[in-house]
């Protein structure tokens, strides 16, 4: 029996969609990493019960950290993106979180930079706060070891391809690293939005939106580029088609980043008949009801979509591009320093 709701909400389901396509479905994925990270900090004496943990979030991590703080008797301070909705703000308030939300901003890249700048201001004012550094400290890898074990046991094969949004780098990076301890043949496919610096698409903008949570306008230390075999970039429109098809075809109600991962996973499955493809569904679709699912009739059928194969980031083009990364280092603009445990 779980001792706290955070343990339950972070436990994923493995759903087989067909003989070679598996959905690793979370209700709130980052609860896994936040719980393990906070527990590690307490166990090592880096923080004590009652301390305040601080970080920036576009939504999912803020909720996960709030749950972890509730579980371990910590205070929580979140600087939130302009995209954080009323439902989440209300939950954070009831959980006792000190929440600051960025003012509306047309440019989500600027929103991210402003949040990090505000974190530094808070630390100068309140040096006793502990900055969790979800983008740079790989204590956030720790919680995914048990998830990797489940994937290995329940899929029953070493011929795995793992697909997921890159984001901070913790989830896909950790899962690939732990899976490869026993099965070096595991392929890792990262999913990115256009406009993200992480794999060099900052020169291509999506007129609709940068998909929150899976891209970045600043370098992230937790992204280990050398783990990735292939990268896909998808527009908002392509990701919406994936989300709608996943619900219509398989009854899985999940977010926009999941739609992008699902579309990518279908493509990779069809090109590797000897492999099982597992894709990460990081959260539910509730916060996308108005922007994605209410417009389901406008979604392009997924069978009409295919990626443009490119050999360099300079060739990227909307709505969908694919590039073999071959486990190369970070491009210059995405190099980061200060990784936590590596």
């Amino acid at each position: 029996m779980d001792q706290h709701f955070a343990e339950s909400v972070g436990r994923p389901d493995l759903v087989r969609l067909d003989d070679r396509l598996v959905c690793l479905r979370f209700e709130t994925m980052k609860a896994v990493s936040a719980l393990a990270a906070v527990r590690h900090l307490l166990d090592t004496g880096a923080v004590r019960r009652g301390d305040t943990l601080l970080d920036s979030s576009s939504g999912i991590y803020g909720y996960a950290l709030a749950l972890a703080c509730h579980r371990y008797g910590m205070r929580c301070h979140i600087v939130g993106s302009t995209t954080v909705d009323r439902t989440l703000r209300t939950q954070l308030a009831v959980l006792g979180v000190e929440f600051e939300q960025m003012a509306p901003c047309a440019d989500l890249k600027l929103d991210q930079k402003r949040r990090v700048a505000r974190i530094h201001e808070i630390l100068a004012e309140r040096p006793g706060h502990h900055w969790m550094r979800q983008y740079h400290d790989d204590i956030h890898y720790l919680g995914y070891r048990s998830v990797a074990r489940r994937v290995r046991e329940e899929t029953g094969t070493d011929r795995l391809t793992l697909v997921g949004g890159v984001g901070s780098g913790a989830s896909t990076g950790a899962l690939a690293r732990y899976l490869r301890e026993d099965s070096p043949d595991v392929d890792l496919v990262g999913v990115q939005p256009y406009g993200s610096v992480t794999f060099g698409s900052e020169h291509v903008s999506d007129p609709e939106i940068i998909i929150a949570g899976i891209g970045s306008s600043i370098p992230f230390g937790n992204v280990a580029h050398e783990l990735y075999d292939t990268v896909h970039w998808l527009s908002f429109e392509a990701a919406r088609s994936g989300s709608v098809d996943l619900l219509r075809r398989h009854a899985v109600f999940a977010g926009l980043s999941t739609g992008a991962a699902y579309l990518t996973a279908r493509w990779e499955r069809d090109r590797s008949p000897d492999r099982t493809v597992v894709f990460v569904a990081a959260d539910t679709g509730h916060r996308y009801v108005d922007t994605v699912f209410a417009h389901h009739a406008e979604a392009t059928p997924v069978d009409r979509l295919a990626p443009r194969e490119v050999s360099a980031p300079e060739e990227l083009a909307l709505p969908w591009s694919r590039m073999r990364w071959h486990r190369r280092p970070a491009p210059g603009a995405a190099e980061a320093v200060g990784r936590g445990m590596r």
Side-chain angles (χ1 to χ4, degrees), residues 196-203 216-220 225 329-336:
S196 172
V197 70
T198 309
F199 283 89
S201 69
E202 64 271 19
H203 62 291
S216 175
S217 62
I218 58 176
F220 285 170
H225 294 75
E335 291 180 353

Side-chain angles (χ1 to χ4, degrees), residues 79-134:
V79 178
S81 167
T82 183
T83 60
V84 175
D85 61 22
R86 180 174 177 270
T87 300
L88 179 53
R89 291 197 305 270
T90 302
Q91 290 182 78
L92 295 178
V94 175
L95 287 168
V97 175
E98 184 174 354
F99 178 74
E100 300 181 32
Q101 186 167 22
M102 291 289 100
C105 176
D107 186 350
L108 287 182
K109 298 179 187 179
L110 180 59
D111 175 84
Q112 193 171 53
K113 292 178 180 177
R114 290 192 306 167
R115 282 187 276 133
V116 174
R118 178 57 185 148
I119 290 288
H120 287 290
E121 291 175 355
I122 294 169
L123 290 172
E125 298 163 1
R126 309 178 196 179
H129 283 18
H130 181 88
W131 183 15
M132 291 297 294
R133 302 176 74 245
Q134 66 147 322

Side-chain angles (χ1 to χ4, degrees), residues 212-234:
I214 66 170
S216 175
S217 62
I218 58 176
F220 285 170
N222 268 345
V223 179
H225 294 75
E226 65 276 8
L227 294 174
Y228 294 83
D229 297 284
T230 304
V231 180
H232 286 244
W233 292 263
L234 289 95

Side-chain angles (χ1 to χ4, degrees), residues 129-141:
H129 283 18
H130 181 88
W131 183 15
M132 291 297 294
R133 302 176 74 245
Q134 66 147 322
Y135 303 136
H136 304 294
D137 193 334
D138 63 3
I139 60 171
H140 293 91
Y141 275 44

Side-chain angles (χ1 to χ4, degrees), residues 327-341:
R327 306 190 187 185
R328 294 200 298 267
E335 291 180 353
V337 296
R339 295 183 182 182
M341 295 172 59

Side-chain angles (χ1 to χ4, degrees), residues 116-287:
V116 174
R118 178 57 185 148
I119 290 288
H120 287 290
E121 291 175 355
I122 294 169
L123 290 172
E125 298 163 1
R126 309 178 196 179
H129 283 18
H130 181 88
W131 183 15
M132 291 297 294
R133 302 176 74 245
Q134 66 147 322
Y135 303 136
H136 304 294
D137 193 334
D138 63 3
I139 60 171
H140 293 91
Y141 275 44
L142 297 173
Y144 294 103
R145 181 177 287 279
S146 61
V147 179
R149 186 182 307 118
R150 275 196 64 198
V151 170
R152 185 184 303 113
E153 291 172 351
E154 296 193 28
T155 57
T157 178
D158 293 333
R159 301 284 291 168
L160 283 175
T161 295
L162 177 69
V163 177
V166 177
S168 70
S171 58
T172 50
L175 288 169
R177 179 168 289 169
Y178 295 140
L179 286 167
R180 286 173 182 167
E181 288 178 351
D182 296 322
S183 306
D185 186 50
V186 170
D187 274 355
L188 178 57
V189 179
V191 179
Q192 283 274 275
Y194 292 96
S196 172
V197 70
T198 309
F199 283 89
S201 69
E202 64 271 19
H203 62 291
V204 183
S205 61
D206 186 337
E208 296 293 333
I209 189 174
I210 184 170
I211 304 171
I214 66 170
S216 175
S217 62
I218 58 176
F220 285 170
N222 268 345
V223 179
H225 294 75
E226 65 276 8
L227 294 174
Y228 294 83
D229 297 284
T230 304
V231 180
H232 286 244
W233 292 263
L234 289 95
S235 68
F236 171 86
E237 291 292 348
R240 180 173 67 179
S241 293
S243 295
V244 169
D245 190 82
L246 180 60
L247 178 57
R248 179 179 289 135
R249 192 185 303 259
H250 299 290
V252 177
F253 183 50
L256 197 59
S257 66
T258 301
Y262 166 68
L263 201 57
T264 297
R266 282 170 50 93
W267 184 266
E268 295 295 331
R269 174 205 59 189
D270 292 345
R271 269 129 203 90
S272 301
D274 60 336
R275 303 184 73 86
T276 295
V277 181
V278 177
F279 70 94
V280 178
D283 63 348
T284 67
H286 293 88
R287 64 174 176 160

